[in-house]
Amino acid sequence: MVQSVFKFCKMHPFLWIAIIGTIVNALFHSGGMVALGGDTGAYTGGAERLLNGVPLVGFHQLQCRGYLLVLAVAQWCGVGLKGAVVFQIGMSIVAACCLFSLGQNFGPVAAWFATVLFLVNPDLVRWHRYILTDSLFISFIVICIWAIDRAVRYRGFWNVVALLVTTYT
């Protein structure tokens, strides 16, 4: 019994991050899964245009093609806007893992401290349920910094990854 509890506590940090992130988001979003914001109509309209093969129009639709693609894929798969919210939460957990990896440069305590602050910060968590670009933008800023750190340290393949991630963020 004691050994199984000890093994459970020694799980990979990324698994702990996923568990913490999922619990925090479940608790924070218990009142409702999807929220709409001021630009939501432009994004959902753009996703519909992509699904129907109609050209995109307007600033929001042309500048946010990646986000429109996320919404269109969610609609096409049949998971709708709830699926887009789950994707945004998933990307925030990926960003938290990247932040943990960056924090390890300063030691395990710094890594956990930064990661937990990122995961439980209500000013960040609230954006995951909105059909707006804010959640993915925040997550991809962290992922960009992680990719650039990798590129500086390891070069080669990581230079390409950093270039792609920063270009499309």
Side-chain angles (χ1 to χ4, degrees), residues 44-56 68 71-73 75-76:
T44 56
E48 287 296 322
R49 293 178 81 82
L50 282 177
L51 289 171
N52 295 324
V54 179
L56 299 174
L68 300 182
L71 296 179
V73 168
Q75 299 286 46
W76 182 76

Side-chain angles (χ1 to χ4, degrees), residues 50-64:
L50 282 177
L51 289 171
N52 295 324
V54 179
L56 299 174
V57 294
F59 175 77
H60 282 90
Q61 290 184 0
L62 293 172
Q63 293 294 86
C64 302

Side-chain angles (χ1 to χ4, degrees), residues 69-126:
L69 186 61
V70 168
L71 296 179
V73 168
Q75 299 286 46
W76 182 76
C77 291
V79 293
L81 297 179
K82 286 184 180 179
V85 169
V86 169
F87 179 77
Q88 291 178 171
I89 291 169
M91 289 310 297
S92 75
I93 292 171
V94 169
C97 291
C98 291
L99 185 59
F100 182 83
S101 177
L102 284 167
Q104 294 242 334
N105 296 325
F106 304 99
V109 173
W112 278 111
F113 187 72
T115 303
V116 170
L117 284 180
F118 179 82
L119 288 171
V120 303
N121 185 334
D123 289 329
L124 299 177
V125 175
R126 83 171 39 134

